[in-house]
PDB file of all heavy atoms in Angstrom:
ATOM      1  N   ILE F   1      33.892  26.180 107.485  1.00 98.00           N
ATOM      2  CA  ILE F   1      33.758  26.102 106.090  1.00 98.00           C
ATOM      3  C   ILE F   1      35.101  25.524 105.519  1.00 98.00           C
ATOM      4  O   ILE F   1      35.035  24.748 104.512  1.00 98.00           O
ATOM      5  CB  ILE F   1      33.482  27.519 105.488  1.00 98.00           C
ATOM      6  CG1 ILE F   1      32.055  27.898 105.969  1.00 98.00           C
ATOM      7  CG2 ILE F   1      33.505  27.460 103.967  1.00 98.00           C
ATOM      8  CD1 ILE F   1      31.747  29.339 105.498  1.00 98.00           C
ATOM      9  N   ALA F   2      36.211  25.932 106.020  1.00 97.00           N
ATOM     10  CA  ALA F   2      37.517  25.655 105.362  1.00 97.00           C
ATOM     11  C   ALA F   2      37.743  24.086 105.434  1.00 97.00           C
ATOM     12  O   ALA F   2      38.365  23.654 104.569  1.00 97.00           O
ATOM     13  CB  ALA F   2      38.597  26.369 106.120  1.00 97.00           C
ATOM     14  N   LYS F   3      37.136  23.466 106.352  1.00 97.00           N
ATOM     15  CA  LYS F   3      37.374  21.914 106.420  1.00 97.00           C
ATOM     16  C   LYS F   3      36.496  21.163 105.436  1.00 97.00           C
ATOM     17  O   LYS F   3      36.623  19.931 105.329  1.00 97.00           O
ATOM     18  CB  LYS F   3      37.241  21.484 107.838  1.00 97.00           C
ATOM     19  CG  LYS F   3      35.754  21.565 108.467  1.00 97.00           C
ATOM     20  CD  LYS F   3      35.818  21.247 109.959  1.00 97.00           C
ATOM     21  CE  LYS F   3      34.465  21.449 110.582  1.00 97.00           C
ATOM     22  NZ  LYS F   3      34.525  21.141 111.985  1.00 97.00           N
ATOM     23  N   LEU F   4      35.620  21.836 104.833  1.00 97.00           N
ATOM     24  CA  LEU F   4      34.662  21.133 103.867  1.00 97.00           C
ATOM     25  C   LEU F   4      35.354  20.949 102.462  1.00 97.00           C
ATOM     26  O   LEU F   4      36.125  21.811 102.128  1.00 97.00           O
ATOM     27  CB  LEU F   4      33.336  21.963 103.712  1.00 97.00           C
ATOM     28  CG  LEU F   4      32.562  22.178 105.021  1.00 97.00           C
ATOM     29  CD1 LEU F   4      31.372  23.007 104.693  1.00 97.00           C
ATOM     30  CD2 LEU F   4      32.105  20.860 105.535  1.00 97.00           C
ATOM     31  N   GLN F   5      35.068  19.862 101.864  1.00 94.00           N
ATOM     32  CA  GLN F   5      35.665  19.493 100.657  1.00 94.00           C
ATOM     33  C   GLN F   5      35.211  20.376  99.496  1.00 94.00           C
ATOM     34  O   GLN F   5      34.066  20.653  99.343  1.00 94.00           O
ATOM     35  CB  GLN F   5      35.441  18.040 100.328  1.00 94.00           C
ATOM     36  CG  GLN F   5      36.176  17.530  99.095  1.00 94.00           C
ATOM     37  CD  GLN F   5      36.037  16.027  98.870  1.00 94.00           C
ATOM     38  OE1 GLN F   5      35.670  15.256  99.907  1.00 94.00           O
ATOM     39  NE2 GLN F   5      36.162  15.504  97.698  1.00 94.00           N
ATOM     40  N   VAL F   6      36.153  20.817  98.683  1.00 93.00           N
ATOM     41  CA  VAL F   6      35.874  21.605  97.469  1.00 93.00           C
ATOM     42  C   VAL F   6      35.708  20.674  96.251  1.00 93.00           C
ATOM     43  O   VAL F   6      34.674  20.690  95.518  1.00 93.00           O
ATOM     44  CB  VAL F   6      37.000  22.683  97.295  1.00 93.00           C
ATOM     45  CG1 VAL F   6      36.640  23.400  95.957  1.00 93.00           C
ATOM     46  CG2 VAL F   6      37.025  23.643  98.415  1.00 93.00           C
ATOM     47  N   ALA F   7      36.732  19.962  95.982  1.00 83.00           N
ATOM     48  CA  ALA F   7      36.712  19.092  94.776  1.00 83.00           C
ATOM     49  C   ALA F   7      35.803  17.931  94.944  1.00 83.00           C
ATOM     50  O   ALA F   7      35.441  17.441  96.049  1.00 83.00           O
ATOM     51  CB  ALA F   7      38.176  18.515  94.475  1.00 83.00           C
ATOM     52  N   GLY F   8      35.308  17.421  93.792  1.00 83.00           N
ATOM     53  CA  GLY F   8      34.526  16.156  93.803  1.00 83.00           C
ATOM     54  C   GLY F   8      33.044  16.315  93.924  1.00 83.00           C
ATOM     55  O   GLY F   8      32.377  15.286  93.981  1.00 83.00           O
ATOM     56  N   LEU F   9      32.497  17.559  93.954  1.00 91.00           N
ATOM     57  CA  LEU F   9      31.083  17.688  94.064  1.00 91.00           C
ATOM     58  C   LEU F   9      30.458  17.549  92.607  1.00 91.00           C
ATOM     59  O   LEU F   9      30.472  18.505  91.874  1.00 91.00           O
ATOM     60  CB  LEU F   9      30.723  19.064  94.664  1.00 91.00           C
ATOM     61  CG  LEU F   9      29.166  19.288  94.710  1.00 91.00           C
ATOM     62  CD1 LEU F   9      28.427  18.162  95.443  1.00 91.00           C
ATOM     63  CD2 LEU F   9      28.980  20.666  95.346  1.00 91.00           C
ATOM     64  N   ASP F  10      30.059  16.382  92.279  1.00 94.00           N
ATOM     65  CA  ASP F  10      29.535  16.133  90.864  1.00 94.00           C
ATOM     66  C   ASP F  10      28.304  15.190  91.068  1.00 94.00           C
ATOM     67  O   ASP F  10      28.424  14.076  91.498  1.00 94.00           O
ATOM     68  CB  ASP F  10      30.594  15.504  90.109  1.00 94.00           C
ATOM     69  CG  ASP F  10      30.361  15.810  88.527  1.00 94.00           C
ATOM     70  OD1 ASP F  10      29.549  16.655  88.270  1.00 94.00           O
ATOM     71  OD2 ASP F  10      31.071  15.126  87.675  1.00 94.00           O
ATOM     72  N   LEU F  11      27.187  15.769  90.778  1.00 94.00           N
ATOM     73  CA  LEU F  11      25.914  15.068  91.018  1.00 94.00           C
ATOM     74  C   LEU F  11      25.225  14.759  89.682  1.00 94.00           C
ATOM     75  O   LEU F  11      25.293  15.495  88.725  1.00 94.00           O
ATOM     76  CB  LEU F  11      25.001  15.925  91.873  1.00 94.00           C
ATOM     77  CG  LEU F  11      25.589  16.181  93.257  1.00 94.00           C
ATOM     78  CD1 LEU F  11      24.802  17.367  93.880  1.00 94.00           C
ATOM     79  CD2 LEU F  11      25.616  15.047  94.139  1.00 94.00           C
ATOM     80  N   PRO F  12      24.371  13.686  89.581  1.00 91.00           N
ATOM     81  CA  PRO F  12      23.662  13.315  88.330  1.00 91.00           C
ATOM     82  C   PRO F  12      22.440  14.235  88.237  1.00 91.00           C
ATOM     83  O   PRO F  12      22.032  14.864  89.226  1.00 91.00           O
ATOM     84  CB  PRO F  12      23.329  11.837  88.602  1.00 91.00           C
ATOM     85  CG  PRO F  12      23.188  11.776  90.141  1.00 91.00           C
ATOM     86  CD  PRO F  12      24.336  12.662  90.681  1.00 91.00           C
ATOM     87  N   ASP F  13      21.928  14.195  87.085  1.00 87.00           N
ATOM     88  CA  ASP F  13      20.686  14.953  86.794  1.00 87.00           C
ATOM     89  C   ASP F  13      19.539  13.991  86.440  1.00 87.00           C
ATOM     90  O   ASP F  13      19.825  12.932  85.950  1.00 87.00           O
ATOM     91  CB  ASP F  13      20.920  16.007  85.703  1.00 87.00           C
ATOM     92  CG  ASP F  13      20.363  17.339  85.997  1.00 87.00           C
ATOM     93  OD1 ASP F  13      19.486  17.473  86.959  1.00 87.00           O
ATOM     94  OD2 ASP F  13      20.848  18.339  85.383  1.00 87.00           O
ATOM     95  N   ASP F  14      18.315  14.361  86.675  1.00 75.00           N
ATOM     96  CA  ASP F  14      17.279  13.540  86.342  1.00 75.00           C
ATOM     97  C   ASP F  14      16.794  13.953  84.894  1.00 75.00           C
ATOM     98  O   ASP F  14      15.867  14.764  84.739  1.00 75.00           O
ATOM     99  CB  ASP F  14      16.128  13.693  87.289  1.00 75.00           C
ATOM    100  CG  ASP F  14      14.987  12.722  87.184  1.00 75.00           C
ATOM    101  OD1 ASP F  14      15.067  12.009  86.091  1.00 75.00           O
ATOM    102  OD2 ASP F  14      14.096  12.467  88.025  1.00 75.00           O
ATOM    103  N   GLU F  15      17.431  13.346  83.928  1.00 67.00           N
ATOM    104  CA  GLU F  15      17.103  13.722  82.523  1.00 67.00           C
ATOM    105  C   GLU F  15      15.761  13.331  82.126  1.00 67.00           C
ATOM    106  O   GLU F  15      15.208  13.927  81.198  1.00 67.00           O
ATOM    107  CB  GLU F  15      18.155  13.025  81.630  1.00 67.00           C
ATOM    108  CG  GLU F  15      19.625  13.351  81.882  1.00 67.00           C
ATOM    109  CD  GLU F  15      19.910  14.827  81.543  1.00 67.00           C
ATOM    110  OE1 GLU F  15      19.130  15.444  80.814  1.00 67.00           O
ATOM    111  OE2 GLU F  15      20.986  15.268  81.974  1.00 67.00           O
ATOM    112  N   ASP F  16      15.158  12.239  82.734  1.00 66.00           N
ATOM    113  CA  ASP F  16      13.774  11.862  82.439  1.00 66.00           C
ATOM    114  C   ASP F  16      12.659  12.744  82.879  1.00 66.00           C
ATOM    115  O   ASP F  16      11.519  12.615  82.525  1.00 66.00           O
ATOM    116  CB  ASP F  16      13.639  10.404  82.882  1.00 66.00           C
ATOM    117  CG  ASP F  16      14.556   9.439  82.285  1.00 66.00           C
ATOM    118  OD1 ASP F  16      14.990   9.732  81.075  1.00 66.00           O
ATOM    119  OD2 ASP F  16      14.908   8.458  82.935  1.00 66.00           O
ATOM    120  N   ASP F  17      13.051  13.648  83.863  1.00 70.00           N
ATOM    121  CA  ASP F  17      11.961  14.475  84.523  1.00 70.00           C
ATOM    122  C   ASP F  17      12.487  15.850  84.707  1.00 70.00           C
ATOM    123  O   ASP F  17      12.545  16.364  85.859  1.00 70.00           O
ATOM    124  CB  ASP F  17      11.514  13.844  85.844  1.00 70.00           C
ATOM    125  CG  ASP F  17      10.339  14.604  86.399  1.00 70.00           C
ATOM    126  OD1 ASP F  17       9.537  15.189  85.691  1.00 70.00           O
ATOM    127  OD2 ASP F  17      10.243  14.583  87.690  1.00 70.00           O
ATOM    128  N   PRO F  18      12.791  16.559  83.635  1.00 74.00           N
ATOM    129  CA  PRO F  18      13.296  17.974  83.793  1.00 74.00           C
ATOM    130  C   PRO F  18      12.217  18.842  84.286  1.00 74.00           C
ATOM    131  O   PRO F  18      11.024  18.736  83.948  1.00 74.00           O
ATOM    132  CB  PRO F  18      13.713  18.278  82.393  1.00 74.00           C
ATOM    133  CG  PRO F  18      12.887  17.405  81.438  1.00 74.00           C
ATOM    134  CD  PRO F  18      12.737  16.181  82.229  1.00 74.00           C
ATOM    135  N   LYS F  19      12.592  19.710  85.140  1.00 82.00           N
ATOM    136  CA  LYS F  19      11.533  20.655  85.754  1.00 82.00           C
ATOM    137  C   LYS F  19      11.194  21.690  84.761  1.00 82.00           C
ATOM    138  O   LYS F  19      12.066  22.277  84.136  1.00 82.00           O
ATOM    139  CB  LYS F  19      12.112  21.342  86.929  1.00 82.00           C
ATOM    140  CG  LYS F  19      12.416  20.341  88.148  1.00 82.00           C
ATOM    141  CD  LYS F  19      11.016  19.782  88.652  1.00 82.00           C
ATOM    142  CE  LYS F  19      11.306  18.987  90.003  1.00 82.00           C
ATOM    143  NZ  LYS F  19      11.993  17.681  89.718  1.00 82.00           N
ATOM    144  N   PRO F  20       9.929  22.066  84.506  1.00 89.00           N
ATOM    145  CA  PRO F  20       9.556  23.113  83.662  1.00 89.00           C
ATOM    146  C   PRO F  20       9.899  24.465  84.258  1.00 89.00           C
ATOM    147  O   PRO F  20      10.090  24.549  85.500  1.00 89.00           O
ATOM    148  CB  PRO F  20       8.042  22.976  83.517  1.00 89.00           C
ATOM    149  CG  PRO F  20       7.700  22.330  84.842  1.00 89.00           C
ATOM    150  CD  PRO F  20       8.789  21.379  85.166  1.00 89.00           C
ATOM    151  N   PRO F  21       9.990  25.577  83.405  1.00 92.00           N
ATOM    152  CA  PRO F  21      10.362  26.883  83.943  1.00 92.00           C
ATOM    153  C   PRO F  21       9.202  27.328  84.754  1.00 92.00           C
ATOM    154  O   PRO F  21       8.070  26.957  84.590  1.00 92.00           O
ATOM    155  CB  PRO F  21      10.549  27.697  82.679  1.00 92.00           C
ATOM    156  CG  PRO F  21       9.793  27.018  81.640  1.00 92.00           C
ATOM    157  CD  PRO F  21       9.978  25.563  81.942  1.00 92.00           C
ATOM    158  N   PRO F  22       9.457  28.223  85.763  1.00 94.00           N
ATOM    159  CA  PRO F  22       8.352  28.760  86.520  1.00 94.00           C
ATOM    160  C   PRO F  22       7.690  29.854  85.713  1.00 94.00           C
ATOM    161  O   PRO F  22       7.951  30.180  84.597  1.00 94.00           O
ATOM    162  CB  PRO F  22       9.102  29.410  87.801  1.00 94.00           C
ATOM    163  CG  PRO F  22      10.446  29.746  87.126  1.00 94.00           C
ATOM    164  CD  PRO F  22      10.748  28.695  86.141  1.00 94.00           C
ATOM    165  N   GLU F  23       6.557  30.323  86.305  1.00 95.00           N
ATOM    166  CA  GLU F  23       5.823  31.421  85.714  1.00 95.00           C
ATOM    167  C   GLU F  23       6.740  32.614  85.743  1.00 95.00           C
ATOM    168  O   GLU F  23       7.463  32.934  86.732  1.00 95.00           O
ATOM    169  CB  GLU F  23       4.558  31.737  86.465  1.00 95.00           C
ATOM    170  CG  GLU F  23       3.535  30.719  86.261  1.00 95.00           C
ATOM    171  CD  GLU F  23       2.989  30.639  84.840  1.00 95.00           C
ATOM    172  OE1 GLU F  23       2.842  31.684  84.175  1.00 95.00           O
ATOM    173  OE2 GLU F  23       2.777  29.524  84.315  1.00 95.00           O
ATOM    174  N   PRO F  24       6.800  33.462  84.606  1.00 97.00           N
ATOM    175  CA  PRO F  24       7.600  34.744  84.690  1.00 97.00           C
ATOM    176  C   PRO F  24       7.003  35.608  85.730  1.00 97.00           C
ATOM    177  O   PRO F  24       5.887  35.596  86.144  1.00 97.00           O
ATOM    178  CB  PRO F  24       7.340  35.300  83.260  1.00 97.00           C
ATOM    179  CG  PRO F  24       6.944  34.130  82.394  1.00 97.00           C
ATOM    180  CD  PRO F  24       6.128  33.238  83.340  1.00 97.00           C
ATOM    181  N   PRO F  25       7.921  36.502  86.222  1.00 98.00           N
ATOM    182  CA  PRO F  25       9.321  36.717  85.889  1.00 98.00           C
ATOM    183  C   PRO F  25      10.258  35.701  86.543  1.00 98.00           C
ATOM    184  O   PRO F  25      10.032  35.426  87.655  1.00 98.00           O
ATOM    185  CB  PRO F  25       9.572  38.181  86.263  1.00 98.00           C
ATOM    186  CG  PRO F  25       8.671  38.400  87.502  1.00 98.00           C
ATOM    187  CD  PRO F  25       7.434  37.505  87.229  1.00 98.00           C
ATOM    188  N   TYR F  26      11.348  35.429  85.839  1.00 98.00           N
ATOM    189  CA  TYR F  26      12.450  34.631  86.486  1.00 98.00           C
ATOM    190  C   TYR F  26      13.726  34.889  85.693  1.00 98.00           C
ATOM    191  O   TYR F  26      13.682  35.362  84.580  1.00 98.00           O
ATOM    192  CB  TYR F  26      11.995  33.210  86.434  1.00 98.00           C
ATOM    193  CG  TYR F  26      11.881  32.515  85.165  1.00 98.00           C
ATOM    194  CD1 TYR F  26      13.013  31.974  84.487  1.00 98.00           C
ATOM    195  CD2 TYR F  26      10.594  32.498  84.474  1.00 98.00           C
ATOM    196  CE1 TYR F  26      12.842  31.405  83.213  1.00 98.00           C
ATOM    197  CE2 TYR F  26      10.411  31.869  83.238  1.00 98.00           C
ATOM    198  CZ  TYR F  26      11.559  31.342  82.603  1.00 98.00           C
ATOM    199  OH  TYR F  26      11.368  30.737  81.369  1.00 98.00           O
ATOM    200  N   ALA F  27      14.793  34.434  86.257  1.00 98.00           N
ATOM    201  CA  ALA F  27      16.057  34.489  85.625  1.00 98.00           C
ATOM    202  C   ALA F  27      16.317  33.180  84.995  1.00 98.00           C
ATOM    203  O   ALA F  27      16.249  32.083  85.636  1.00 98.00           O
ATOM    204  CB  ALA F  27      17.154  34.856  86.668  1.00 98.00           C
ATOM    205  N   ALA F  28      16.620  33.115  83.746  1.00 98.00           N
ATOM    206  CA  ALA F  28      17.095  31.995  82.961  1.00 98.00           C
ATOM    207  C   ALA F  28      18.551  32.002  82.859  1.00 98.00           C
ATOM    208  O   ALA F  28      19.189  33.085  82.487  1.00 98.00           O
ATOM    209  CB  ALA F  28      16.412  31.945  81.557  1.00 98.00           C
ATOM    210  N   ILE F  29      19.135  30.817  83.200  1.00 98.00           N
ATOM    211  CA  ILE F  29      20.582  30.710  83.163  1.00 98.00           C
ATOM    212  C   ILE F  29      20.849  29.424  82.355  1.00 98.00           C
ATOM    213  O   ILE F  29      20.183  28.387  82.545  1.00 98.00           O
ATOM    214  CB  ILE F  29      21.242  30.520  84.588  1.00 98.00           C
ATOM    215  CG1 ILE F  29      20.980  31.829  85.438  1.00 98.00           C
ATOM    216  CG2 ILE F  29      22.705  30.274  84.427  1.00 98.00           C
ATOM    217  CD1 ILE F  29      21.519  31.604  86.764  1.00 98.00           C
ATOM    218  N   ALA F  30      21.764  29.602  81.452  1.00 98.00           N
ATOM    219  CA  ALA F  30      22.175  28.405  80.470  1.00 98.00           C
ATOM    220  C   ALA F  30      23.720  28.215  80.623  1.00 98.00           C
ATOM    221  O   ALA F  30      24.482  29.171  80.688  1.00 98.00           O
ATOM    222  CB  ALA F  30      21.833  28.660  79.101  1.00 98.00           C
ATOM    223  N   LEU F  31      24.103  26.897  80.862  1.00 97.00           N
ATOM    224  CA  LEU F  31      25.477  26.554  80.882  1.00 97.00           C
ATOM    225  C   LEU F  31      25.994  26.217  79.518  1.00 97.00           C
ATOM    226  O   LEU F  31      25.205  25.555  78.663  1.00 97.00           O
ATOM    227  CB  LEU F  31      25.665  25.406  81.905  1.00 97.00           C
ATOM    228  CG  LEU F  31      25.481  25.741  83.428  1.00 97.00           C
ATOM    229  CD1 LEU F  31      25.373  24.415  84.201  1.00 97.00           C
ATOM    230  CD2 LEU F  31      26.596  26.634  83.902  1.00 97.00           C
ATOM    231  N   ASN F  32      27.185  26.543  79.241  1.00 97.00           N
ATOM    232  CA  ASN F  32      27.771  26.185  77.922  1.00 97.00           C
ATOM    233  C   ASN F  32      27.814  24.684  77.630  1.00 97.00           C
ATOM    234  O   ASN F  32      28.438  23.955  78.403  1.00 97.00           O
ATOM    235  CB  ASN F  32      29.162  26.779  77.848  1.00 97.00           C
ATOM    236  CG  ASN F  32      29.782  26.648  76.372  1.00 97.00           C
ATOM    237  OD1 ASN F  32      29.351  25.905  75.571  1.00 97.00           O
ATOM    238  ND2 ASN F  32      30.831  27.499  76.202  1.00 97.00           N
ATOM    239  N   PRO F  33      27.111  24.158  76.725  1.00 95.00           N
ATOM    240  CA  PRO F  33      26.991  22.739  76.426  1.00 95.00           C
ATOM    241  C   PRO F  33      28.385  22.198  75.947  1.00 95.00           C
ATOM    242  O   PRO F  33      28.574  21.001  76.004  1.00 95.00           O
ATOM    243  CB  PRO F  33      25.855  22.474  75.408  1.00 95.00           C
ATOM    244  CG  PRO F  33      25.902  23.815  74.701  1.00 95.00           C
ATOM    245  CD  PRO F  33      26.179  24.910  75.716  1.00 95.00           C
ATOM    246  N   GLY F  34      29.258  23.011  75.458  1.00 96.00           N
ATOM    247  CA  GLY F  34      30.497  22.617  74.953  1.00 96.00           C
ATOM    248  C   GLY F  34      31.571  22.440  75.986  1.00 96.00           C
ATOM    249  O   GLY F  34      32.759  22.226  75.611  1.00 96.00           O
ATOM    250  N   VAL F  35      31.232  22.751  77.181  1.00 96.00           N
ATOM    251  CA  VAL F  35      32.239  22.797  78.329  1.00 96.00           C
ATOM    252  C   VAL F  35      31.801  21.828  79.428  1.00 96.00           C
ATOM    253  O   VAL F  35      30.634  21.880  79.816  1.00 96.00           O
ATOM    254  CB  VAL F  35      32.388  24.240  78.939  1.00 96.00           C
ATOM    255  CG1 VAL F  35      33.361  24.193  80.081  1.00 96.00           C
ATOM    256  CG2 VAL F  35      32.851  25.235  77.860  1.00 96.00           C
ATOM    257  N   THR F  36      32.726  20.878  79.737  1.00 95.00           N
ATOM    258  CA  THR F  36      32.418  19.950  80.832  1.00 95.00           C
ATOM    259  C   THR F  36      33.004  20.414  82.142  1.00 95.00           C
ATOM    260  O   THR F  36      34.131  20.604  82.286  1.00 95.00           O
ATOM    261  CB  THR F  36      33.010  18.560  80.446  1.00 95.00           C
ATOM    262  OG1 THR F  36      32.464  18.050  79.201  1.00 95.00           O
ATOM    263  CG2 THR F  36      32.758  17.546  81.494  1.00 95.00           C
ATOM    264  N   ILE F  37      32.053  20.551  83.044  1.00 96.00           N
ATOM    265  CA  ILE F  37      32.435  20.999  84.475  1.00 96.00           C
ATOM    266  C   ILE F  37      31.679  20.213  85.420  1.00 96.00           C
ATOM    267  O   ILE F  37      30.598  19.736  85.165  1.00 96.00           O
ATOM    268  CB  ILE F  37      32.231  22.512  84.586  1.00 96.00           C
ATOM    269  CG1 ILE F  37      30.775  22.891  84.287  1.00 96.00           C
ATOM    270  CG2 ILE F  37      33.219  23.395  83.813  1.00 96.00           C
ATOM    271  CD1 ILE F  37      30.557  24.401  84.499  1.00 96.00           C
ATOM    272  N   THR F  38      32.200  20.202  86.702  1.00 96.00           N
ATOM    273  CA  THR F  38      31.545  19.450  87.746  1.00 96.00           C
ATOM    274  C   THR F  38      30.325  20.277  88.266  1.00 96.00           C
ATOM    275  O   THR F  38      30.174  21.469  87.930  1.00 96.00           O
ATOM    276  CB  THR F  38      32.483  19.232  88.914  1.00 96.00           C
ATOM    277  OG1 THR F  38      32.918  20.506  89.417  1.00 96.00           O
ATOM    278  CG2 THR F  38      33.670  18.515  88.490  1.00 96.00           C
ATOM    279  N   THR F  39      29.574  19.675  89.105  1.00 97.00           N
ATOM    280  CA  THR F  39      28.307  20.351  89.747  1.00 97.00           C
ATOM    281  C   THR F  39      28.846  21.548  90.610  1.00 97.00           C
ATOM    282  O   THR F  39      28.297  22.633  90.565  1.00 97.00           O
ATOM    283  CB  THR F  39      27.576  19.462  90.580  1.00 97.00           C
ATOM    284  OG1 THR F  39      27.025  18.301  89.825  1.00 97.00           O
ATOM    285  CG2 THR F  39      26.360  20.059  91.206  1.00 97.00           C
ATOM    286  N   GLY F  40      29.948  21.399  91.263  1.00 97.00           N
ATOM    287  CA  GLY F  40      30.458  22.377  92.135  1.00 97.00           C
ATOM    288  C   GLY F  40      30.859  23.545  91.279  1.00 97.00           C
ATOM    289  O   GLY F  40      30.571  24.716  91.672  1.00 97.00           O
ATOM    290  N   LYS F  41      31.561  23.370  90.215  1.00 97.00           N
ATOM    291  CA  LYS F  41      31.963  24.428  89.380  1.00 97.00           C
ATOM    292  C   LYS F  41      30.757  25.100  88.671  1.00 97.00           C
ATOM    293  O   LYS F  41      30.721  26.331  88.583  1.00 97.00           O
ATOM    294  CB  LYS F  41      32.874  23.858  88.264  1.00 97.00           C
ATOM    295  CG  LYS F  41      33.397  24.888  87.194  1.00 97.00           C
ATOM    296  CD  LYS F  41      34.439  25.833  87.872  1.00 97.00           C
ATOM    297  CE  LYS F  41      35.146  26.697  86.901  1.00 97.00           C
ATOM    298  NZ  LYS F  41      36.180  27.564  87.464  1.00 97.00           N
ATOM    299  N   ALA F  42      29.829  24.189  88.262  1.00 97.00           N
ATOM    300  CA  ALA F  42      28.569  24.774  87.579  1.00 97.00           C
ATOM    301  C   ALA F  42      27.813  25.668  88.602  1.00 97.00           C
ATOM    302  O   ALA F  42      27.247  26.674  88.164  1.00 97.00           O
ATOM    303  CB  ALA F  42      27.772  23.665  87.102  1.00 97.00           C
ATOM    304  N   ALA F  43      27.701  25.206  89.818  1.00 98.00           N
ATOM    305  CA  ALA F  43      27.055  25.981  90.851  1.00 98.00           C
ATOM    306  C   ALA F  43      27.574  27.456  90.998  1.00 98.00           C
ATOM    307  O   ALA F  43      26.942  28.439  91.063  1.00 98.00           O
ATOM    308  CB  ALA F  43      26.922  25.284  92.172  1.00 98.00           C
ATOM    309  N   ALA F  44      28.912  27.448  91.063  1.00 97.00           N
ATOM    310  CA  ALA F  44      29.645  28.765  91.073  1.00 97.00           C
ATOM    311  C   ALA F  44      29.349  29.571  89.904  1.00 97.00           C
ATOM    312  O   ALA F  44      29.140  30.791  90.066  1.00 97.00           O
ATOM    313  CB  ALA F  44      31.124  28.507  91.357  1.00 97.00           C
ATOM    314  N   GLN F  45      29.408  28.945  88.752  1.00 98.00           N
ATOM    315  CA  GLN F  45      29.189  29.758  87.474  1.00 98.00           C
ATOM    316  C   GLN F  45      27.786  30.308  87.408  1.00 98.00           C
ATOM    317  O   GLN F  45      27.565  31.420  86.973  1.00 98.00           O
ATOM    318  CB  GLN F  45      29.446  28.890  86.266  1.00 98.00           C
ATOM    319  CG  GLN F  45      30.820  28.313  86.196  1.00 98.00           C
ATOM    320  CD  GLN F  45      31.922  29.378  86.339  1.00 98.00           C
ATOM    321  OE1 GLN F  45      32.043  30.362  85.562  1.00 98.00           O
ATOM    322  NE2 GLN F  45      32.684  29.322  87.461  1.00 98.00           N
ATOM    323  N   CYS F  46      26.805  29.500  87.896  1.00 98.00           N
ATOM    324  CA  CYS F  46      25.436  29.980  87.939  1.00 98.00           C
ATOM    325  C   CYS F  46      25.282  31.156  88.943  1.00 98.00           C
ATOM    326  O   CYS F  46      24.516  32.164  88.680  1.00 98.00           O
ATOM    327  CB  CYS F  46      24.472  28.865  88.277  1.00 98.00           C
ATOM    328  SG  CYS F  46      24.239  27.618  86.892  1.00 98.00           S
ATOM    329  N   GLY F  47      25.995  30.993  90.074  1.00 98.00           N
ATOM    330  CA  GLY F  47      26.000  32.089  91.060  1.00 98.00           C
ATOM    331  C   GLY F  47      26.645  33.429  90.364  1.00 98.00           C
ATOM    332  O   GLY F  47      26.107  34.501  90.620  1.00 98.00           O
TER     333      GLY F  47
END
């Protein structure tokens, strides 16, 4: 694990085909739209 890269994990999103929410119950998570973070950072925050 230690040899794997931490920085630079930033991936695009498919804005034209957002996935609908699943049937309840589920956990909804929202990221702060006023804060710019990479995908790697966002993944950790969602975790």
